[in-house]
Amino acid sequence: MANAITLTNLTELLYQARDTVAREPVGFIPSVMVNAGSEGVSIGGTVKSIRTAQPTLNTSHTPATTVPAGDDTTIAVEEMTIGQVSRTNIPIKGEVARQLANTSDYGETLKQLFAQHIRTHVNAIESHCGTVIKNGASRAAGTAGTTPFASAHSLIPQVHQILKDNGTPKDGQVSLVINTAAETNLKILSHIYKVNEAGSEDTIRRGILLDIDGVMIRSSAGVAAHTAGTGASYLINNGDIAVGTEALTLDTGSGTILIGDVIALESDANRYVTASTSVGTTDLTIQRPGLRQATVNNKTVTLAASYTGNLMFHRSAVELVMRPPAMPDGGDAARERMTLFDPVSGLVFEVAIYPGYGMNLIEFVCYYQAKAWKPEFIATLLG
């Protein structure tokens, strides 16, 4: 079996692969709830979660000989449908394996191949998380089209205020994930890298971003760029609209309003992220918790420019499901199959080897999906 390749012999190479190929920064995956494991799932499978509403606050109490009727309580069910596939493979002919063994370090070549495959999967999943979280944010702060932290870090507590006002838990699990341009701006702020002011040499010596305002700061190559719609001259057409309203109706305007667009209402300093749109009927939904300020008919609606979606969120706001595909009873044609844990991202991948005619095929495959369960706990720092 001179040309046989088994996963048992390659396991150590797989685990060492992370050290041999460059890896882009991963900030979203470590910041969300990761639902990973070796159990197989199917594309189109669902994960359900419940969402409770705030109770009715009664402002009176009248004793009586009969028990008063209870207030209605709403418990909603939300679903996540697993719809993403990440799959790569390495076909290895016996003659190619022999050539590599005779002309170079075959083991080192395999390590490089495995590292590139892991890198490719992780980058795809990280980018997916960045887009899902961007589109699931509640409100935004900052200036669209301008990289933040040019002169101060004050935007961090401003964005954090959005989460605090929405009731986000203060338990040390809030992260701000930014792109490398914003990271560089933050690092060169004089009070960030001066040891006597920052209280630590970690930033200036080791490039570590310390927590600010109780928020963990991470960078990511998966921060999404959002191209804004072309909507203009829209007006509110709902009449008087109360605080907490999510569904809006617009009129008189033109152009598109897209999911993930940031809108502002006349006389309202808040900037809201759109959850769904229907330009034909000008129906628009903003993310929970809805309007923070009541508005009236014919107030203007303005779209922000295209932006980079740096994001602050609580870990519980977002879930990433990560599983290998389900196999039939008795398995498939794979000669060997194992799950591979990537220490850089913390993700688990399925790796299998399939024997063929004069060659083998090594395959990496996973099903995954991210879901923003709690928009109230997500805010956008525009860049």
Side-chain angles (χ1 to χ4, degrees):
M1 299 181 65
N3 295 321
I5 300 177
T6 65
L7 290 180
T8 301
N9 293 334
L10 295 177
T11 298
E12 287 300 317
L13 299 179
L14 290 169
Y15 278 92
Q16 294 171 21
R18 65 187 187 276
D19 297 325
T20 57
V21 169
R23 296 291 294 268
E24 288 74 11
V26 177
F28 289 114
I29 294 171
S31 303
V32 305
M33 296 185 296
V34 178
N35 183 342
S38 58
E39 305 88 355
V41 297
S42 61
I43 285 293
T46 59
V47 177
K48 293 186 178 183
S49 176
I50 64 171
R51 175 169 59 88
T52 57
Q54 292 190 30
T56 300
L57 177 64
N58 297 292
T59 57
S60 64
H61 176 241
T62 304
T65 57
T66 58
V67 178
D71 298 318
D72 291 337
T73 300
T74 301
I75 299 177
V77 175
E78 296 188 3
E79 291 187 351
M80 175 201 308
T81 300
I82 301 173
Q84 307 295 318
V85 179
S86 179
R87 184 175 67 87
T88 60
N89 56 66
I90 306 171
I92 301 179
K93 294 181 180 180
E95 59 192 55
V96 172
R98 176 60 64 187
Q99 290 171 351
L100 289 172
N102 290 338
T103 60
S104 63
D105 186 338
Y106 181 49
E108 181 62 27
T109 301
L110 286 177
K111 285 197 294 184
Q112 296 289 337
L113 286 171
F114 291 138
Q116 291 289 7
H117 282 249
I118 293 172
R119 177 189 186 189
T120 299
H121 287 271
V122 170
N123 286 346
I125 297 169
E126 176 80 356
S127 295
H128 170 71
C129 289
T131 299
V132 168
I133 302 171
K134 170 185 70 70
N135 291 340
S138 60
R139 298 196 300 284
T143 303
T146 301
T147 303
F149 313 130
S151 59
H153 74 272
S154 56
L155 277 171
I156 295 177
Q158 289 177 38
V159 179
H160 200 188
Q161 181 184 348
I162 294 174
L163 300 189
K164 291 177 180 178
D165 290 344
N166 289 349
T168 303
K170 302 174 184 178
D171 56 4
Q173 297 191 64
V174 173
S175 298
L176 172 63
V177 181
I178 57 180
N179 67 359
T180 54
E183 178 189 21
T184 298
N185 276 359
L186 188 59
K187 283 181 176 179
I188 62 179
L189 293 176
S190 61
H191 61 285
I192 297 295
Y193 68 78
K194 288 181 179 178
V195 177
N196 64 318
E197 295 183 27
S200 171
E201 64 177 11
D202 284 345
T203 300
I204 187 65
R205 301 300 179 196
R206 287 174 284 280
I208 299 172
L209 289 171
L210 303 175
D211 294 2
I212 298 177
D213 194 39
V215 176
M216 295 178 285
I217 314 296
R218 294 186 168 106
S219 66
S220 171
V223 172
H226 179 84
T227 301
T230 58
S233 302
Y234 278 109
L235 302 176
I236 292 291
N237 191 33
N238 285 63
D240 295 339
I241 311 174
V243 171
T245 300
E246 298 170 24
L248 307 176
T249 301
L250 314 181
D251 63 6
T252 76
S254 62
T256 58
I257 300 177
L258 308 175
I259 294 174
D261 278 350
V262 175
I263 66 169
L265 278 60
E266 181 183 351
S267 304
D268 186 346
N270 294 284
R271 282 174 284 177
Y272 304 99
V273 180
T274 57
S276 64
T277 64
S278 178
V279 175
T281 57
T282 60
D283 290 331
L284 173 69
T285 302
I286 59 175
Q287 294 283 7
R288 298 193 307 268
L291 292 180
R292 297 291 295 176
Q293 180 177 317
T295 190
V296 297
N297 198 41
N298 288 328
K299 289 289 187 179
T300 59
V301 177
T302 306
L303 265 69
S306 298
Y307 64 88
T308 298
N310 305 292
L311 294 156
M312 185 182 294
F313 54 95
H314 190 274
R315 182 180 300 276
S316 66
V318 185
E319 182 177 9
L320 171 64
V321 173
M322 174 87 174
R323 291 288 194 280
M327 290 292 109
D329 291 342
D332 64 0
R335 185 171 69 203
E336 293 190 48
R337 187 179 297 275
M338 67 176 290
T339 54
L340 169 65
F341 174 74
D342 172 36
V344 174
S345 63
L347 297 182
V348 177
F349 297 93
E350 173 100 341
V351 184
I353 182 167
Y354 291 88
Y357 182 68
M359 64 183 299
N360 290 320
L361 181 75
I362 299 175
E363 184 177 72
F364 293 69
V365 61
C366 69
Y367 292 170
Y368 65 96
Q369 185 70 47
K371 172 78 172 184
W373 293 111
K374 200 78 172 176
E376 299 95 320
F377 295 175
I378 307 172
T380 301
L381 171 55
L382 300 171

